[in-house]
Amino acid sequence: MVTIDLSTPPAPAASFLDGLPRRIAVNLHELRHAASLAGGAPLPFDLVEPGTNHGLEDRLGQSPGSVEDDAYAAALTSLHDAEESLRHRGLITDAGVDPGLTGAIGLLATPDLALDLDVAVAGSQVKAWHRQAGNAVATLATCDGVVFELAWFSTDQWSGELTRAAAIPNDLTLGESLVPDDIDVPFPLLDAIGEALRSSRSDLVSVLMNHHGDGILDGAGEPVEAAPATAAVGAIHTEARGRLRVLAARVRAETTTVVGLVSWVLLADGWHSLSPHQDDDEARVRVRRTHPADLAAELAPVLAQVTA
C-alpha cells in the first residue's frame, strides 16, 4: 500500500532552485517525438488528428466544429520539425535525450497513482495529468492540445502543484454568492431544480421547494429557512462560472484500478466543493466554500481510499 501525504508542508529546500519543480513547454510534435525516443512510451491521452473531409459540408457549409478542426490542423502543420527544435533547445544532444525529460515521460507512462484534472473557467479549459510513483511526480497540462507544459518534481511538492492547478484567473472578478459557506441538499431536489432552470421553467422551483425544501440543512445540520434555501439551491446552478474535477486512480500491476473523484464548482464568490453522501437511504450533496490551497487536503481521503 502506498501512503501519500499532501497535508504536510515540504521540508525546506537546500537552495531556491532545489525547491522548484522543473518545467518545460513542448508542442505536440515534440512531445510525441520525445515519447518515441523514450522507448515508445504511451502518453496519458488519446488525441484524434483532425481530418479534412467534413462530409456534407461541401453542400451545407462549414460547421463550428469543422472550423475548429481546421484551425487545429493548421496550428499543427505550422510547427517546426520536432527533432530539430528539441536539439535547438538542448533537450536532445549527441549524448541522447535529456534524462529529466525521458524520466518524466517514463513516469507518465508507468505510474502507481494517476490524477486526471479537468478545469474549466470563464470559457477556457485546461486538461492536466498528474502521475506519481515512489518519490516522484510528473505532470502534463494543456489548454489547446498544441502546446503542453511538462513538469517533474518530488512528491512533497505535489500539494503546491495542485493549488496551482486550481488557481482562479486574476482577471476573473469575484463577488458575493447567495450560496452559504456550508449547505447540505438532497441530490434529487438539486438535480430537479437544475433541470427546471435549464428548461426555462423557473416557475417549477417554488413547487419543488414547497414539497422537498425542508430537507435543506446548514453546516450545523439545522434546517435552512425557505427563502434563503430557495435562493441558495437556485444559485448553485445560475452562478456557476466554472468547474474542477479530479479523477484519482490507483494503477495496479494486474491493470485493475480503484477510482475516486473530487468535484468543485466555481460560484460568484469562488470555489465550492460538491461532496455526495448518503443519509440513510437518501442521496445528498454537501456544498462547501473552499479555496485552491484546499484541493490537496480534499484529495487526501480520496487518495487514502484508492491506495488502500
Side-chain angles (χ1 to χ4, degrees):
M1 182 180 74
V2 177
T3 301
I4 306 297
D5 183 4
L6 294 177
S7 60
T8 303
S15 70
F16 175 73
L17 292 178
D18 288 341
L20 295 178
R22 184 176 176 190
R23 308 181 198 280
I24 60 172
V26 290
N27 63 48
L28 180 60
H29 290 346
E30 292 172 334
L31 183 63
R32 285 177 164 170
H33 185 60
S36 69
L37 296 177
L43 296 172
F45 56 84
D46 293 321
L47 198 64
V48 178
E49 296 286 357
T52 57
N53 182 10
H54 300 301
L56 295 176
E57 289 175 6
D58 289 341
R59 285 177 285 169
L60 302 180
Q62 284 187 313
S63 68
S66 67
V67 172
E68 292 179 1
D69 283 350
D70 290 343
Y72 180 65
L76 292 181
T77 303
S78 69
L79 298 176
H80 295 294
D81 177 76
E83 173 79 17
E84 179 182 342
S85 60
L86 288 172
R87 282 189 175 275
H88 180 73
R89 298 166 59 191
L91 294 171
I92 296 180
T93 66
D94 292 341
V97 185
D98 181 281
L101 174 59
T102 302
I105 290 176
L107 180 51
L108 289 172
T110 58
D112 292 331
L113 184 63
L115 300 182
D116 286 4
L117 290 80
D118 184 350
V119 185
V121 176
S124 64
Q125 184 175 14
V126 174
K127 296 275 191 178
W129 300 269
H130 290 205
R131 301 293 186 261
Q132 177 271 337
N135 192 41
V137 179
T139 68
L140 186 67
T142 185
C143 63
D144 58 11
V146 177
V147 178
F148 294 76
E149 179 191 80
L150 178 64
W152 56 97
F153 44 89
S154 61
T155 304
D156 61 6
Q157 301 294 324
W158 202 359
S159 60
E161 288 298 297
L162 290 167
T163 298
R164 181 172 176 262
I168 299 173
N170 292 330
D171 59 353
L172 188 64
T173 303
L174 300 179
E176 295 185 0
S177 174
L178 294 175
V179 181
D181 287 349
D182 196 344
I183 190 170
D184 198 303
V185 186
F187 175 76
L189 175 62
L190 182 63
D191 186 51
I193 288 179
E195 182 60 31
L197 293 172
R198 286 189 295 272
S199 303
S200 300
R201 292 299 307 274
S202 57
D203 56 300
L204 295 178
V205 173
S206 59
V207 177
L208 292 166
M209 290 296 297
N210 286 337
H211 285 81
H212 307 287
D214 55 353
I216 298 176
L217 308 176
D218 61 19
E222 298 296 327
V224 181
E225 293 183 3
T230 301
V233 177
I236 293 172
H237 297 282
T238 59
E239 288 183 7
R241 308 167 72 180
R243 71 168 191 276
L244 180 151
R245 292 172 185 159
V246 184
L247 185 68
R250 172 83 165 112
V251 184
R252 301 186 184 277
E254 57 271 24
T255 70
T256 60
T257 58
V258 181
V259 177
L261 178 68
V262 167
S263 182
W264 289 5
V265 62
L266 183 64
L267 301 180
D269 61 346
W271 289 116
H272 289 245
S273 65
L274 304 174
S275 303
H277 64 99
Q278 288 287 134
D279 186 359
D280 295 329
D281 293 329
E282 183 181 43
R284 301 182 64 88
V285 178
R286 190 173 184 182
V287 184
R288 287 182 290 181
R289 179 82 167 91
T290 190
H291 303 275
D294 298 330
L295 182 56
E298 188 154 330
L299 270 168
V302 175
L303 297 183
Q305 174 187 352
V306 302
T307 58

